[in-house]
Amino acid sequence: RFGPSFAPCFRPVGPRAMSLEVDRSQQLTVPRSRSHSQGESFLSHNPHGNTIAGNSYLQTYGPDDKEHLGTSGIPATAMTITTIMIGAGVLILPQQFNKLGMPLGFILLVVSCWTSAYLCFTMNEAIDRVQKRTGTFVTTLDDLALACFGLLGKWVAQFILRAFVVGKIACYIVLIGRNLEYIMCPPYYRGWVMLSSGLFLLTAFVKSAKLLEKVSIIGVICSAIYALPIVVGSFQAHFDPDIAAPSDMWRLGGSYGFTIPMEQLLPSFGLFLFGFGPIEVIATAKRNMADQQRMPMAITAAHLITGSFYLMVGALGAWGFGDTVLGNVTESMKSSHGKWAAGYCLAVAVAVNLLVTIPISLYCLFTAITKTRKLPLAADSALRVSVIAFCSCIGLYVPYFMQVLQIFSSTLIVPLTVFVPLACGAKSANDNGRPYSCKRMALDGVLFIIGIGCFIVGLVDAVDDLIKEMARDGVVQSM
């Protein structure tokens, strides 16, 4: 998901497009050599733990492919976006549905799905406006930010995206440690974190995408089988006498009752947005379509598929596990008789997926940084080691997946998913001389305020939950 966001940006339209490339930051037209474009492949993957290998993303661009007009149709693009959205975030859905109750969980999921689709439409419209105004193709989110807000906008977008990658890796190191501990213990959680971090440290120095491209399909296969163990485990839990389903699961508000605290509703909305929100790959997916005007249809189809999938997993998980469900549903798949086969299958799928996805994320992160600025060997090595060390420290000293994920979704998902598309949409409309109507400005204003609420309330709630969890484990004094 992150590869295209860091790739070289604008490509000109017109008869000279195959030999010229526009450098927007320098406002110069420079020759584009065949050796630069031919054989340069894009790795694309998502923060939820998936890598897409196929017609849409792992392509080789060169001057012989008809100005890179793209070949993907609506089904291929819709499935690509769907696979990007569905990932490790599905593990949190049963607990969220149990907390909110079926009625409110359904409503909040639908609202989150609509919001994500609307923001994707906003991004798509902004890309169309920029391409019409500048006469250049928008390939990445960086391109759009550069066209709308100049170099400062590009730098901000790059910072958000790179922080997003690092935060995602930190969350996934926590998750991979928990799932490997479920599969085999000992070694215990921290032992698995150290072992996996050592592996990631080695892969951090990989500077060729060929091997990563070959194994990327494993991530897609693993994420595709997430649903089966969760469904099987939900039925097993529901009929297990050791696990009692809650009596209030069908009540509005679930375990909160009819009075739902806002400090719980907004964080849940942010977590649901984490499950959707393919904002940073919309430009790349659109660029690879044969008919870019049909992008809204692909976005709609992808959100309908993903929303239906999330509804099934969340509702069945809440129905089956009830109040015993945990933030990582894998850890709920056990009883007095021991761990379940469905739990082992899910833990293996998650662990293998992340063992493939994290090296790809690291490759794209470091490739983006080194393409922007050539670093000396010592500085390059120190950067790679520092990123792994930082993420490993999060995994070692903050072993609470749900709380770390909530902090991540509040501080990075909300700006990337909500603030960036709203800002780019409004700015591109003004630049094209067609500013938003009052109704559109009011709607975007409401979403912006909700985003601020998710950012502030979600962060405060996540930190408070984290302190409570650490106090419960004796890490800090009870507050």
Side-chain angles (χ1 to χ4, degrees):
R1 178 173 180 172
F2 301 100
S5 299
F6 302 131
C9 50
F10 287 93
R11 303 191 189 278
V13 181
R16 302 184 61 199
M18 290 183 286
S19 60
L20 298 176
E21 185 175 57
V22 177
D23 184 343
R24 297 292 296 178
S25 62
Q26 302 289 334
Q27 292 297 321
L28 295 175
T29 302
V30 295
R32 177 182 175 190
S33 65
R34 180 183 182 91
S35 61
H36 171 75
S37 57
Q38 191 172 24
E40 180 179 351
S41 60
F42 289 106
L43 276 170
S44 179
H45 45 283
N46 78 51
H48 316 309
N50 303 324
T51 301
I52 311 306
N55 191 35
S56 293
Y57 283 127
L58 295 183
Q59 297 190 23
T60 300
Y61 293 111
D64 297 326
D65 33 37
K66 298 180 180 180
E67 182 36 14
H68 326 310
L69 290 179
T71 58
S72 299
I74 295 175
T77 304
M79 291 309 300
T80 295
I81 297 175
T82 300
T83 313
I84 285 170
M85 290 190 286
I86 297 176
V90 74
L91 302 176
I92 69 173
L93 292 175
Q95 187 191 57
Q96 293 301 308
F97 267 76
N98 180 64
K99 283 185 175 181
L100 298 169
M102 292 294 186
L104 185 59
F106 172 77
I107 293 172
L108 196 61
L109 181 68
V110 171
V111 172
S112 302
C113 183
W114 178 88
T115 301
S116 175
Y118 173 79
L119 293 170
C120 289
F121 292 147
T122 301
M123 181 70 72
N124 179 66
E125 293 170 356
I127 292 170
D128 286 337
R129 296 188 194 104
V130 168
Q131 291 183 158
K132 181 178 179 180
R133 177 172 58 86
T134 63
T136 56
F137 282 123
V138 174
T139 306
T140 69
L141 182 60
D142 293 356
D143 303 351
L144 186 60
L146 177 64
C148 292
F149 299 101
L151 282 177
L152 178 61
K154 180 181 179 180
W155 293 337
V156 171
Q158 287 178 340
F159 173 80
I160 293 175
L161 285 169
R162 292 169 187 178
F164 179 81
V165 178
V166 175
K168 182 208 72 168
I169 293 172
C171 287
Y172 284 172
I173 284 182
V174 176
L175 184 59
I176 198 172
R178 288 298 183 192
N179 282 274
L180 289 174
E181 184 184 37
Y182 184 97
I183 297 170
M184 186 171 65
C185 182
Y188 297 97
Y189 167 79
R190 286 185 171 85
W192 282 118
V193 169
M194 294 179 67
L195 289 173
S196 58
S197 297
L199 174 63
F200 298 144
L201 182 60
L202 295 177
T203 60
F205 288 88
V206 173
K207 299 182 179 180
S208 173
K210 292 183 178 180
L211 176 62
L212 298 177
E213 289 177 0
K214 292 179 180 179
V215 301
S216 64
I217 189 63
I218 298 176
V220 180
I221 296 173
C222 290
S223 63
I225 65 175
Y226 280 177
L228 182 60
I230 295 177
V231 171
V232 173
S234 298
F235 278 95
Q236 183 175 349
H238 185 76
F239 296 104
D240 193 312
D242 294 340
I243 300 176
S247 59
D248 57 358
M249 62 182 297
W250 292 104
R251 185 176 65 180
L252 182 64
S255 58
Y256 296 124
F258 289 101
T259 304
I260 307 163
M262 189 60 64
E263 62 268 20
Q264 298 296 336
L265 188 59
L266 287 176
S268 296
F269 182 72
L271 288 171
F272 280 162
L273 279 182
F274 168 75
F276 294 101
I279 291 296
E280 71 277 16
V281 298
I282 291 298
T284 304
K286 181 182 179 70
R287 184 68 184 85
N288 288 327
M289 289 193 73
D291 184 358
Q292 293 190 4
Q293 299 305 312
R294 296 193 173 187
M295 185 64 181
M297 298 177 65
I299 293 173
T300 301
H303 280 80
L304 288 175
I305 295 171
T306 304
S308 301
F309 177 82
Y310 284 169
L311 177 61
M312 177 193 70
V313 172
L316 278 177
W319 167 79
F321 291 98
D323 289 335
T324 64
V325 69
L326 301 176
N328 175 11
V329 70
T330 306
E331 298 177 316
S332 304
M333 295 186 182
K334 56 186 177 182
S335 63
S336 58
H337 306 292
K339 298 174 183 177
W340 303 346
Y344 281 110
C345 292
L346 182 59
V348 169
V350 172
V352 173
N353 185 14
L354 298 181
L355 286 171
V356 172
T357 300
I358 291 177
I360 295 175
S361 300
L362 291 169
Y363 168 81
C364 293
L365 173 66
F366 297 134
T367 300
I369 295 174
T370 54
K371 280 186 176 181
T372 303
R373 176 180 297 180
K374 186 68 175 178
L375 298 176
L377 179 60
D380 181 83
S381 301
L383 172 67
R384 296 169 190 267
V385 173
S386 298
V387 170
I388 298 297
F390 172 78
C391 296
S392 300
C393 286
I394 298 295
L396 288 171
Y397 298 108
V398 194
Y400 309 102
F401 171 67
M402 195 64 194
Q403 288 72 28
V404 173
L405 179 61
Q406 192 171 331
I407 293 174
F408 171 64
S409 65
S410 300
T411 56
L412 294 174
I413 292 291
V414 170
L416 181 63
T417 304
V418 180
F419 299 155
V420 170
L422 291 179
C424 291
K427 185 63 165 59
S428 63
N430 289 333
D431 290 344
N432 281 32
R434 292 186 176 182
Y436 283 164
S437 64
C438 293
K439 291 183 179 179
R440 181 68 181 271
M441 291 177 63
L443 176 59
D444 285 10
V446 170
L447 292 178
F448 188 80
I449 293 172
I450 292 175
I452 293 176
C454 292
F455 183 90
I456 298 175
V457 177
L459 180 60
V460 172
D461 181 70
V463 172
D464 183 61
D465 285 349
L466 179 60
I467 292 174
K468 290 178 180 178
E469 287 292 329
M470 296 176 73
R472 186 178 297 114
D473 291 346
V475 179
V476 298
Q477 295 296 324
S478 182
M479 300 183 66

